[in-house]
Amino acid sequence: MRIAVAKEIEVCERRVALIPDIVARLVKQGVEVLVETGAGERAFFSDAAYEAAGAKVISDTTQLWGEADILLKVSPPQEREDGRSEIDLLKEGSVLISFLNPLGNPSVAQRLAERKVTAMSMEMIPRTTRAQSMDALSSQASIAGYKAVLIGAAALPKYFPMLTTAAGTIAPAKVFIMGAGVAGLQAIATARRLGAIVEAFDIRPAVKEEVQSLGAKFVEVKLEEETTAAGGYAKEISEASKQRTQEVVAEHVKNADVVITTAQVPGRKAPVLVTEEMVAQMKPGSVIVDIAAEQGGNCACTDPGKDIVWNGITIIGPINLPSSMPVHASQLYSKNLSSLMQLLIKDKALNVNFADDIVDAACVTHGGEIRNQRVKDALQALSGVAS
């Protein structure tokens, strides 16, 4: 059984799929681990550290991918500078475990199926108690929520905490967090630790107690429709409900010094929660940090990957926030992968058991076919648009 760790080639990706500590545990279990030269370099894990952990460091990318029974990555397979696709480097019958964005880019799943690769998508891990240790979306979202607050605090031309000085009293900053999932809850906790007054909004009323337990005020909007999808994620709501939501949150956006938006719907464009009209009502010097920028943004003024100033308001649309903290992001992701592989490796051999609900949910392609119905639907919708 050979597990290979690929070097990420996406420009903004600094994470690595396995850190040396996890490699050492796998080696002790009798698994052979191959690591591509420089795979951990941008996350500050040296080739020497991997060798000390028992891994074999390989400089030949084609060899590494071709020998892997299980290939581990962070980002979805990319097109290489030499014109080859990483998918074409995988041997038939091998297993790829990575973030794959199968609902947003189902064509990748189609190509993996054609290559007869068993692809496990980390986005598709079910949100259940048993799968918590494998839930990479949550582990990485927590980092994004934390970092978003630090970015907002650095950009705000004010203090976050209340200060009493000889020169007078400084009022605390007001932070409004939109979306109380994992990223939002971590943002609440971080902003509160920095001394801000925090309000939070989410269309799911069930998160009210979690928000309040962290010391924030919950802004509630009563809607007539169901707002929670399978797995506890927020569900896309009707246009009427979106309008009602915007009317309620507008006043809170107006009064905030920092707004952090985190609302995302898997496989869909991020809902617009902050309109241009809302931004126009904010105080000069206020800041918006839009975590959902990669999916189009929750703010109508967001420019993904850029910091802009719009009518005196700084709007930040960061891309891949977890990658900006590669040491701990890699540590958490590595643990997620390790936990998943415990289900896939039995007696040092690969065992893809679809009777296991986690394996069944996470497996996107197998045996030359796309297994997941949601991915099939997304691919069909993409084909319809293309035609």
Side-chain angles (χ1 to χ4, degrees):
M1 172 59 60
R2 286 180 170 177
I3 294 176
V5 179
K7 181 179 180 179
E8 303 297 325
I9 61 175
E10 189 173 348
V11 174
C12 65
E13 187 53 74
R14 298 171 61 195
R15 293 170 290 179
V16 63
L18 287 187
I19 65 172
D21 284 351
I22 298 296
V23 168
R25 296 178 196 175
L26 292 170
V27 171
K28 285 181 180 179
Q29 295 171 12
V31 176
E32 185 178 357
V33 180
L34 312 177
V35 178
E36 188 171 359
T37 300
E41 191 174 62
R42 286 188 286 178
F44 306 99
F45 299 107
S46 67
D47 290 343
Y50 284 105
E51 289 177 332
K56 181 180 179 181
V57 177
I58 296 178
S59 60
D60 188 326
T61 301
T62 302
Q63 177 188 351
L64 178 106
W65 285 66
E67 292 184 0
D69 297 307
I70 300 178
L71 194 289
L72 303 179
K73 282 187 91 280
V74 180
S75 296
Q78 308 287 318
E79 300 297 321
R80 300 176 57 84
E81 290 184 356
D82 59 12
R84 294 182 297 171
S85 166
E86 288 185 321
I87 293 176
D88 295 333
L89 299 178
L90 289 161
K91 70 178 181 182
E92 290 190 4
S94 63
V95 176
L96 171 66
I97 308 178
S98 177
F99 283 117
L100 295 175
N101 189 23
L103 299 179
N105 187 13
S107 59
V108 170
Q110 179 65 52
R111 293 179 63 190
L112 288 167
E114 293 169 354
R115 189 66 179 167
K116 295 183 173 58
V117 169
T118 296
M120 311 290 291
S121 174
M122 296 305 288
E123 292 98 332
M124 306 300 281
I125 295 290
R127 188 161 272 186
T128 60
T129 301
R130 180 168 167 262
Q132 280 183 341
S133 64
M134 310 167 208
D135 187 355
L137 277 182
S138 291
S139 72
Q140 304 305 295
S142 179
I143 293 173
Y146 168 82
K147 190 62 179 283
V149 174
L150 300 187
I151 290 172
L156 185 70
K158 299 179 180 181
Y159 279 117
F160 254 43
M162 182 180 76
L163 294 175
T164 302
T165 73
T169 299
I170 304 295
K174 295 179 180 178
V175 177
F176 184 42
I177 295 169
M178 305 183 75
V182 175
L185 292 172
Q186 182 61 63
I188 292 169
T190 305
R192 288 286 296 140
R193 290 189 188 107
L194 290 177
I197 295 174
V198 183
E199 293 182 324
F201 159 77
D202 197 290
I203 60 173
R204 298 164 296 176
V207 302
K208 179 178 180 179
E209 290 185 5
E210 293 180 86
V211 168
Q212 292 174 331
S213 71
L214 293 171
K217 177 184 176 182
F218 184 67
V219 176
E220 193 167 3
V221 179
K222 294 184 178 180
L223 303 176
E224 299 300 324
E225 61 184 285
E226 178 59 47
T227 57
T228 305
Y233 295 100
K235 182 179 180 180
E236 187 169 21
I237 56 178
S238 67
E239 289 301 320
S241 292
K242 289 179 183 177
Q243 180 63 34
R244 168 63 180 153
T245 297
Q246 289 177 355
E247 291 171 358
V248 172
V249 303
E251 193 66 20
H252 298 274
V253 171
K254 175 183 176 181
N255 294 327
D257 295 302
V258 176
V259 174
I260 296 175
T261 65
T262 71
Q264 301 179 60
V265 180
R268 307 260 185 149
K269 187 179 183 298
V272 174
L273 303 179
V274 181
T275 64
E276 287 189 10
E277 292 77 13
M278 292 183 194
V279 178
Q281 294 298 314
M282 295 179 72
K283 301 184 293 291
S286 298
V287 177
I288 297 173
V289 182
D290 193 343
I291 293 180
E294 286 181 83
Q295 287 191 338
N298 295 141
C299 176
C301 304
T302 296
D303 192 346
K306 297 182 180 180
D307 300 357
I308 64 172
V309 177
W310 193 89
N311 285 355
I313 310 303
T314 299
I315 302 166
I316 303 171
I319 299 294
N320 197 359
L321 275 178
S323 182
S324 69
M325 297 183 62
V327 174
H328 283 148
S330 298
Q331 177 183 329
L332 296 176
Y333 184 65
S334 184
K335 174 60 177 175
N336 297 144
L337 288 179
S338 175
S339 297
L340 178 59
M341 285 189 291
Q342 301 306 311
L343 298 180
L344 299 175
I345 301 174
K346 301 296 181 184
D347 299 323
K348 302 179 186 179
L350 183 64
N351 177 35
V352 182
N353 178 18
F354 294 122
D356 186 291
D357 64 311
I358 298 174
V359 174
D360 184 56
C363 186
V364 175
T365 67
H366 180 72
E369 297 181 349
I370 295 177
R371 296 189 69 257
N372 188 283
Q373 186 58 50
R374 293 172 66 197
V375 178
K376 288 181 181 178
D377 293 343
L379 186 63
Q380 186 175 8
L382 184 64
S383 301
V385 171
S387 61

